[in-house]
Amino acid sequence: MSAVAEPSVAHAPPRRPLGARLADFASRSWQAILLAVPYLWLLVFFLAPFLIVVKISLALSEIALPPYTSLWQWTEDGALSIQLYFQNYAYLIDDTLYLNGYLNALKIAAISTALCLLVGYPIAYGIARSAPTTRNILLLLVILPFWTSFLLRIYAWMGILNKQGLINNVLIFFGVIDQPIEMMNTDFAVYLGIVYSYLPFMVLPLYVTLEKMDPSLWEAAMDLGSRRWQVFVDVTLPLSVPGIIAGGLLVFIPATGEYVIPALLGNPSSPMIGRVLFDEFYSNRDWPVASAVAVVLLILLVVPILMFQHYQMRQAEEGK
């Protein structure tokens, strides 16, 4: 007698209590809100202004309010006419003023970033290796200049660097020089102002990276026969590369578009692109060309960010 198998009946999973489902819904809603806030911030304060600047860069300058033409208008027969003008970007290539401004800004920003790294790395390393009781005090000293107005600090450097300033008076008093040294309105003054102003942006990311390092790695390297400088080159420096890149971006990006420091301390005959951008907006009243300058500058600054993100993704994939 053959046995007949009874058909299996699929049982539906029990429904969760209403309170648990409401709690899950509330949790997902809060997560969505928290994720939407930064995207909304970028949309309102970055993407929307950027699109407005792009729109102005594709217009023509005219004596009106606003001082540029409209990109679209309705014709008499009711059709929508859109006119885009790209000669503003071509004008940036034809006039050497803008090319020199970009190159000068990139050069000064790159050298200033390297100087900030040379000065800031020992400071961050010393703070990370200091005792916990003094570490907060040292960090406070690094952040302390931010408590004073940025413009006031630059004006103070103008008083220090001019011919009757503190440096020249001290050098003349000790007989080191006979005549005052011309330091104002030079690239040296711009480098000094940028390094002084942006040094904390290099120190803090480096400190965070160095402070997280495991001291046992240094002890293990020294137990294997490495000297202190070898431990630094083989262990400390490679592990601090993320902090170096983060600090370099925090210095390089704002330094490239810096206006106040070059305007007050720099040479007017070789302006950085920030000064050129300001003159186009407020002196020449050529908003379309100024907007084109800003768009190209933003593209130049986005490239390092994309490179850094690519580096982080590659490091994350290698760590898996």
Side-chain angles (χ1 to χ4, degrees):
M1 183 177 180
S2 59
V4 179
E6 296 181 357
S8 59
V9 179
H11 297 281
R15 293 179 60 86
R16 300 179 61 192
L18 179 61
R21 283 182 288 164
L22 291 177
D24 291 343
F25 176 77
S27 177
R28 290 193 299 268
S29 300
W30 276 111
Q31 291 178 359
I33 293 174
L34 293 177
L35 291 175
V37 168
Y39 286 105
L40 181 62
W41 176 275
L42 292 175
L43 176 64
V44 174
F45 295 102
F46 176 76
L47 184 59
F50 175 71
L51 294 178
I52 293 174
V53 173
V54 172
K55 169 182 172 294
I56 297 175
S57 69
L58 298 175
L60 291 178
S61 178
E62 65 176 3
I63 302 176
L65 190 67
Y68 54 87
T69 60
S70 177
L71 296 185
W72 51 77
Q73 57 185 352
W74 295 97
T75 60
E76 295 180 356
D77 56 356
L80 179 62
S81 175
I82 300 177
Q83 294 179 335
L84 304 179
Y85 303 94
F86 293 92
Q87 55 261 45
N88 295 321
Y89 294 94
Y91 184 65
L92 301 184
I93 301 176
D94 296 336
D95 196 336
T96 58
L97 172 66
Y98 305 102
L99 180 60
N100 293 333
Y102 284 118
L103 295 177
N104 193 33
L106 293 175
K107 181 194 73 172
I108 292 178
I111 296 176
S112 301
T113 303
L115 293 175
C116 284
L117 178 60
L118 293 176
V119 177
Y121 200 104
I123 296 175
Y125 185 81
I127 296 175
R129 297 295 299 272
S130 63
T133 55
T134 60
R135 192 174 298 168
N136 293 333
I137 298 177
L138 296 176
L139 287 175
L140 179 63
L141 295 177
V142 173
I143 305 173
L144 194 60
F146 286 107
W147 295 4
T148 308
S149 170
F150 171 76
L151 189 60
L152 184 62
R153 287 183 279 137
I154 301 303
Y155 273 116
W157 276 110
M158 293 176 63
I160 294 173
L161 296 175
N162 63 31
K163 290 185 176 181
Q164 290 76 35
L166 177 63
I167 296 178
N168 279 315
N169 288 335
V170 171
L171 295 178
I172 292 175
F173 177 79
F174 286 101
V176 178
I177 58 175
D178 297 328
Q179 298 294 330
I181 302 174
E182 184 64 43
M183 289 179 287
M184 279 292 299
N185 304 120
T186 61
D187 288 345
F188 166 77
V190 176
Y191 290 130
L192 185 61
I194 292 178
V195 171
Y196 166 76
S197 301
Y198 293 102
L199 184 61
F201 294 103
M202 178 66 74
V203 172
L204 295 178
L206 284 172
Y207 162 75
V208 172
T209 303
L210 293 171
E211 196 270 337
K212 292 180 179 179
M213 290 186 184
D214 189 358
S216 62
L217 297 175
W218 303 324
E219 298 174 358
M222 296 183 69
D223 291 339
L224 293 175
S226 297
R227 298 182 179 179
R228 289 186 178 274
W229 66 270
Q230 291 176 321
V231 174
F232 175 79
V233 173
D234 297 334
V235 179
T236 306
L237 190 59
L239 292 178
S240 62
V241 169
I244 294 175
I245 296 177
L249 290 176
L250 289 177
V251 175
F252 179 80
I253 291 175
T256 304
E258 179 61 47
Y259 164 72
V260 175
I261 296 175
L264 297 180
L265 302 179
N267 188 352
S269 62
S270 59
M272 295 176 63
I273 195 62
R275 177 66 180 272
V276 176
L277 180 61
F278 178 87
D279 291 340
E280 289 293 343
F281 261 117
Y282 294 98
S283 299
N284 300 335
R285 298 284 293 177
D286 195 342
W287 285 27
V289 172
S291 299
V293 173
V295 171
V296 175
L297 178 61
L298 181 61
I299 293 174
L300 291 176
L301 296 181
V302 166
V303 172
I305 298 177
L306 295 178
M307 293 174 60
F308 178 60
Q309 289 181 343
H310 175 72
Y311 171 82
Q312 283 187 323
M313 293 176 61
R314 188 176 64 181
Q315 291 293 109
E317 292 175 357
E318 293 178 355
K320 291 182 180 179

